[in-house]
Amino acid sequence: MFKNYLKIAWRNLVKNKGYTIINVGGLALGMAVTLIIGLWMHDELTRDSYFENKDSIAQVYQSQTFNGRTGTGPAIPLPLEPALRDGYGDNFKHLMMASWTQDSYIKYKENSISRPGNYMQTMAPDFLNLKIIKGEKDGLREINSIMISKSTADALFGNENPIGKVVKISNEYDLNVTAVYEDIPFNNTFNDTEYIIPWDNYVANREWIKNSLDNWGNNSFQMFVQLGENTDMETVSSKIRNVKKDLNEDTAEFNPQLFLLPMEDWYLRNNFEEGKQVGGRIKYVWLFGIIGAFVLLLACINFMNLSTARSEKRAKEVGIRKSIGSQKGQLIYQFLSESFLVVLFAFFVALAIVLLSLSGFNELAKKEITFPWGTGAFWLISIVFILFTALLAGSYPALYLSSFRPVDVLKGTFKAGKYAGLPRKILVVLQFTVSVAFIIGTVIVMQQINHAKNRPIGYDREGLIQIPTWSADFTGKTDLMREQFLSSGAVVAMATSSSPTTRIWSNRSGFTWEGKPEGFQEDFAWTEVSPEYASTLDLKVIQGRDFSRDMASDSLGILINESAVKYMGIENPVGTIIRDSDEEDPGPPMKILGVVEDIIAQSPYEPVKQGWYVYDRHNNFSYYNLRLNPAKSASENLAVVERVFKENFPAIPFQYDFVDDEYAAKFASEQRIGTLSGIFTALAILISCLGLFGLTSFVAEQRTKEIGVRKVLGASVFNVWNMLSKDFLKLVTISCFIAIPISYYIMNGWLQDYPYRVILEWWIFVLAVVGAMGVTVLTVSFQAIKAAKANPVKSLRTE
């Protein structure tokens, strides 16, 4: 019987090729969007699945309160590690200190490469579930050892066996390669860990870390843990919550609260407000899931509308079948089999679309998603997906068509009824409500991105490059390099800094100044710079003056930004003396020399943080900042800069970043969301228009005789166009009135996440309405004008 159903369904589809193409095309687009979004969601939700012990891994976070505002992050003090190990060790299988991921130069013989990696304690291979290809898994036992990834080994050694070879790190010290491990897959937190060096080496070679072993106020480190058996995250978090406060009275005023953030939350739920977890990237996962569901619904609505619109053409078939004994259930199965066949064809077309577009989607979304051909779960889900879509698209038409009374149909008295078209109208309204809401949402996302992009950043980023200086080789050569760069003609200004221009790497507190409010808990962004920093970046000094090499006293000077002036509550900041409140080692007092305009060094969507630019008298720089000669091309300048660099540092790879590229990267996430939203919105509109096109074609076909009579009686092309178009335009107008308040509510809520945000203006909604109306007119007009220009004699003769 089922075979017979499919055979009849096939004949009906072939007989009505135009409607079949519209149905298959619309469903294929909808299913392709849903499949791509489904693959993306799976990739997001299964991040870190490489780690077998994922459920028991966590990172230690802390919340601290400054002046009534609570901030939360993973930075912790170094003394916390022995405190947790000695006092709460029974709760952990592993407790591991780790550096922040950092790029280092790795040299073997004459081959030198730059790779990101970490310093970790000896349990790292077990903790990270590393798959060892060569060497020993416990390869971090010796302080001068290093474990490297396969890709790093291939780049550095080629076909040579790396085990036992000696490499030099940042041209500072030698390390012995003890193991090569399989690259950690892309979709994992530690995928950029291409080398691991023992934590003891990190401490031994950095004086500032040795000085931090007992310093509870230096939150410059991170700690990962794996829970032991018979315990859980919440229990352990409650045990360690007040450890820092209890063991160090000096930090009690900030009310530090420790807790564990599970690995499953690192990527998707790592946003905090006032110490409370408020989600994160997970909101985009559900957002795109909703978009995929709605796009599929739009495609199914097309099928429903076209199937029910053609009901009168199928009425006689239903009547005959019922008169010879067919039951309603059999007719429902018949029509559902047609739906299933259309959906099956659409699914294979959708698979082709996904395969063709997946590489482009990966590039756009910064993913490495592969099609899961060999995954049984995927094909099982696909079968369920096909059946669900067929049921969703075909259930209403099947129930509607199978309900016809055979007596009325065969006597020729069957009429669809006054309200028969109402469900179709409701579905069209639903389609365009979703489409208009998508248009409004996409416009607002792009406007928010452009709003932040157009925000004054406080410096000139054109022609500004940064060169990392993480090797000891750079120490003591700053003046020489400045002289050579400037004399080369490729550089017009140079300065050093302890942080990149587009980031804040260090924060400091514990200072006093005249007029500081009682109990005020300060927190400043801290950047150590050479005297030429402001002039190199073209910072605007709005009060006081810049640093000067001609004045020896300036070595104890600082520049502060506008936000720091407001934060500190100083009316006349220039000349203010800043003292360290550390009674044991206060250091020399510093003097505010000038005030510079705020520059955006963190998120462009956030307020600028109060910052100090401190004269770097200890050579704590991490970057050369070079202003390229604007009179020459960038490629010409870079060639000269590289030559000068290699003449002085032949063993170090020449690396640089354009500051404008680094700044643009701050918009990458929102830009991707906006672009993907735009693409999905365009596809949603296209699907809606396909359905509208099919309905218009059917209405024009159904009213052929009426159009012919009207033309004979003198109706113009415009009169016929208006007759066929006005009903659809009314439906789209209703859709707009429904979509506007819904989209306003949703997008206004989304914007609340951004302190620096765009204001929702009326023209955004008008633009969406005009766009929807324009698309509707274009879609309907093709068939309407075609029908209006048809020869009435021919249409009347046909009837």
Side-chain angles (χ1 to χ4, degrees):
M1 184 62 74
F2 183 68
K3 180 180 178 182
N4 185 52
Y5 288 154
L6 291 178
K7 185 182 296 184
I8 296 171
W10 172 255
R11 290 171 180 170
N12 279 318
L13 295 179
V14 172
K15 182 180 177 182
N16 302 281
K17 294 184 180 66
Y19 292 104
T20 300
I21 291 172
I22 291 174
N23 277 329
V24 171
L27 283 170
L29 282 176
M31 295 177 82
V33 169
T34 306
L35 283 171
I36 288 178
I37 290 178
L39 291 172
W40 180 82
M41 290 179 66
H42 178 266
D43 188 77
E44 293 281 293
L45 294 171
T46 57
R47 185 176 175 86
D48 289 321
S49 57
Y50 173 82
F51 304 106
E52 296 176 358
N53 47 4
K54 173 183 176 179
D55 293 339
S56 61
I57 291 178
Q59 185 169 11
V60 179
Y61 268 57
Q62 72 166 325
S63 296
Q64 296 189 97
T65 303
F66 294 87
N67 299 314
R69 298 193 64 182
T70 302
T72 302
I76 54 100
L78 199 52
L80 185 62
E81 187 255 343
L84 293 185
R85 194 179 298 279
D86 296 340
Y88 303 89
D90 292 343
N91 296 279
F92 306 109
K93 180 179 179 180
H94 293 305
L95 195 153
M96 182 180 74
M97 294 297 296
S99 68
W100 306 97
T101 300
Q102 54 190 273
D103 285 331
S104 293
Y105 308 120
I106 308 177
K107 183 180 179 183
Y108 174 66
K109 294 181 180 178
E110 299 304 315
N111 191 11
S112 183
I113 61 175
S114 176
R115 289 290 187 272
N118 293 79
Y119 292 81
M120 295 179 173
Q121 290 181 312
T122 54
M123 73 287 298
D126 282 329
F127 186 91
L128 299 179
N129 193 37
L130 296 182
K131 296 176 174 57
I132 304 301
I133 300 173
K134 295 179 181 178
E136 303 174 357
K137 192 165 188 176
D138 56 348
L140 299 178
R141 293 193 311 270
E142 302 297 329
I143 191 171
N144 290 322
S145 59
I146 183 174
M147 301 176 71
I148 58 177
S149 67
K150 183 180 184 302
S151 59
T152 300
D154 291 343
L156 199 60
F157 297 98
N159 296 324
E160 196 173 345
N161 185 2
I163 304 302
K165 300 296 190 298
V166 176
V167 298
K168 187 177 285 292
I169 295 293
S170 296
N171 222 29
E172 294 181 46
Y173 43 86
D174 293 335
L175 298 175
N176 182 50
V177 178
T178 57
V180 176
Y181 56 87
E182 182 182 286
D183 285 40
I184 298 175
F186 179 79
N187 190 32
N188 291 277
T189 299
F190 297 98
N191 78 289
D192 56 354
T193 301
E194 299 197 27
Y195 68 81
I196 304 174
I197 301 173
W199 175 259
D200 289 343
N201 184 293
Y202 190 55
V203 176
N205 287 288
R206 287 161 179 78
E207 195 65 31
W208 69 273
I209 298 182
K210 294 177 184 177
N211 296 332
S212 299
L213 291 173
D214 298 315
N215 186 352
W216 286 89
N218 184 359
N219 298 295
S220 300
F221 308 93
Q222 59 178 343
M223 183 191 303
F224 301 95
V225 301
Q226 182 181 349
L227 297 183
E229 296 180 0
N230 302 319
T231 189
D232 57 75
M233 299 287 177
E234 188 174 344
T235 301
V236 177
S237 290
S238 64
K239 289 181 180 180
I240 69 172
R241 193 174 310 281
N242 295 313
V243 168
K244 182 178 176 181
K245 183 168 55 175
D246 293 342
L247 294 178
N248 187 264
E249 295 180 357
D250 293 339
T251 62
E253 62 176 319
F254 305 117
N255 190 31
Q257 300 285 303
L258 302 174
F259 64 94
L260 302 181
L261 187 70
M263 177 179 264
E264 63 180 5
D265 288 351
W266 293 355
Y267 180 68
L268 294 175
R269 301 175 184 86
N270 58 0
N271 285 358
F272 292 83
E273 290 181 6
E274 296 301 321
K276 303 295 183 182
Q277 193 172 11
V278 293
R281 191 176 174 86
I282 188 67
K283 66 182 179 183
Y284 293 120
V285 175
W286 300 128
L287 170 66
F288 280 104
I290 292 170
I291 289 175
F294 272 116
V295 170
L296 181 64
L297 178 61
L298 296 182
C300 291
I301 288 174
N302 280 355
F303 184 90
M304 295 178 194
N305 278 343
L306 291 177
S307 297
T308 55
R310 298 179 61 251
S311 60
E312 291 187 23
K313 289 184 174 292
R314 304 292 299 272
K316 187 172 290 187
E317 175 190 345
V318 172
I320 293 173
R321 286 180 175 278
K322 280 194 171 184
S323 66
I324 60 175
S326 291
Q327 300 297 314
K328 183 176 181 179
Q330 292 175 311
L331 291 171
I332 289 175
Y333 287 136
Q334 169 62 51
F335 292 122
L336 283 176
S337 66
E338 289 185 22
S339 170
F340 173 77
L341 204 56
V342 170
V343 170
L344 187 63
F345 290 151
F347 177 75
F348 287 115
V349 175
L351 284 183
I353 294 172
V354 171
L355 289 173
L356 291 173
S357 58
L358 192 56
S359 60
F361 178 81
N362 278 335
E363 184 176 350
L364 179 62
K366 301 302 178 186
K367 291 285 187 180
E368 292 185 2
I369 299 172
T370 56
F371 201 85
W373 290 109
T375 307
F378 170 77
W379 293 109
L380 180 61
I381 292 171
S382 294
I383 293 171
V384 174
F385 179 51
I386 292 170
L387 294 174
F388 171 78
T389 305
L391 189 62
L392 178 64
S395 57
Y396 171 63
L399 292 171
Y400 178 74
L401 292 172
S402 63
S403 65
F404 294 163
R405 294 177 59 193
V407 175
D408 295 336
V409 171
L410 297 177
K411 286 174 63 178
T413 59
F414 169 78
K415 290 190 178 295
K418 182 178 179 181
Y419 299 104
L422 183 60
R424 287 196 298 276
K425 292 178 180 179
I426 293 173
L427 292 174
V428 170
V429 168
L430 177 59
Q431 271 191 318
F432 276 88
T433 297
V434 173
S435 297
V436 172
F438 280 1
I439 293 172
I440 293 172
T442 301
V443 171
I444 292 173
V445 169
M446 299 310 296
Q447 193 186 24
Q448 170 66 7
I449 294 170
N450 291 329
H451 181 65
K453 280 184 175 180
N454 295 330
R455 181 182 182 184
I457 64 171
Y459 64 96
D460 181 11
R461 61 181 186 268
E462 287 296 322
L464 188 64
I465 67 170
Q466 300 173 144
I467 298 176
T469 56
W470 302 327
S471 169
D473 289 8
F474 293 96
T475 304
K477 290 189 176 182
T478 303
D479 292 337
L480 172 65
M481 294 304 298
R482 180 181 296 105
E483 179 183 346
Q484 291 191 14
F485 279 137
L486 294 178
S487 63
S488 71
V491 176
V492 296
M494 171 183 161
T496 63
S497 61
S498 60
S499 302
T501 307
T502 55
R503 298 180 191 173
I504 294 174
W505 276 5
S506 180
N507 296 278
R508 297 283 180 91
S509 59
F511 299 97
T512 62
W513 60 89
E514 186 177 351
K516 178 182 176 181
E518 185 70 26
F520 186 80
Q521 300 167 324
E522 74 281 0
D523 175 39
F524 295 100
W526 177 279
T527 307
E528 297 182 42
V529 300
S530 66
E532 302 81 12
Y533 188 73
S535 58
T536 300
L537 268 64
D538 197 17
L539 301 184
K540 294 179 176 59
V541 181
I542 56 178
Q543 290 185 49
R545 63 176 177 84
D546 195 0
F547 294 115
S548 172
R549 285 187 177 272
D550 298 330
M551 301 184 69
S553 61
D554 279 11
S555 63
L556 294 174
I558 63 172
L559 300 177
I560 66 174
N561 63 11
E562 295 174 281
S563 293
V565 175
K566 299 174 185 176
Y567 181 77
M568 297 169 71
I570 308 175
E571 291 187 9
N572 300 301
V574 177
T576 298
I577 302 300
I578 307 294
R579 291 182 171 83
D580 196 322
S581 59
D582 187 345
E583 296 179 357
E584 296 181 2
D585 184 22
M590 299 179 292
K591 181 180 179 180
I592 297 178
L593 302 178
V595 179
V596 297
E597 281 190 357
D598 286 339
I599 74 169
I600 299 176
Q602 289 181 299
S603 169
Y605 304 103
E606 301 285 342
V608 174
K609 183 172 183 176
Q610 57 277 3
W612 290 359
Y613 302 96
V614 184
Y615 194 113
D616 181 12
R617 60 181 186 274
H618 301 300
N619 287 321
N620 289 329
F621 62 90
S622 298
Y623 283 92
Y624 288 159
N625 301 280
L626 307 182
R627 173 75 62 186
L628 300 180
N629 189 344
K632 299 180 180 180
S633 68
S635 58
E636 185 180 357
N637 285 328
L638 289 172
V640 175
V641 169
E642 182 176 9
R643 176 178 57 77
V644 173
F645 182 91
K646 296 301 288 185
E647 286 174 356
N648 289 274
F649 309 108
I652 298 175
F654 175 62
Q655 288 185 296
Y656 67 91
D657 294 302
F658 277 97
V659 172
D660 54 356
D661 289 341
E662 291 292 298
Y663 184 74
K666 293 178 178 293
F667 302 93
S669 178
E670 283 78 9
Q671 190 78 56
R672 282 195 292 272
I673 297 298
T675 303
L676 290 172
S677 298
I679 292 171
F680 295 143
T681 296
L683 290 172
I685 294 170
L686 176 59
I687 291 169
S688 298
C689 289
L690 276 174
L692 199 60
F693 181 83
L695 281 177
T696 309
S697 301
F698 177 75
V699 170
E701 179 185 345
Q702 194 178 39
R703 302 177 72 173
T704 301
K705 184 175 181 179
E706 178 188 348
I707 294 171
V709 172
R710 287 178 179 274
K711 290 198 69 177
V712 169
L713 295 176
S716 65
V717 172
F718 175 78
N719 293 141
V720 176
W721 173 87
N722 183 58
M723 178 188 72
L724 294 175
S725 303
K726 64 182 181 181
D727 288 341
F728 293 110
L729 289 173
K730 287 178 183 177
L731 297 178
V732 174
T733 302
I734 295 171
S735 299
C736 292
F737 280 110
I738 297 173
I740 287 173
I742 293 174
S743 55
Y744 176 87
Y745 175 79
I746 293 173
M747 296 310 298
N748 188 56
W750 176 75
L751 286 172
Q752 299 310 306
D753 291 340
Y754 300 96
Y756 187 80
R757 57 181 176 267
V758 71
I759 297 173
L760 295 181
E761 297 183 276
W762 61 268
W763 65 263
I764 298 174
F765 303 96
V766 172
L767 179 66
V769 171
V770 171
M773 290 293 186
V775 168
T776 303
V777 168
L778 289 174
T779 304
V780 173
S781 293
F782 178 81
Q783 285 295 345
I785 294 174
K786 180 182 177 182
K789 287 188 172 183
N791 188 340
V793 174
K794 184 178 180 181
S795 63
L796 292 174
R797 182 186 299 137
T798 301
E799 290 294 319

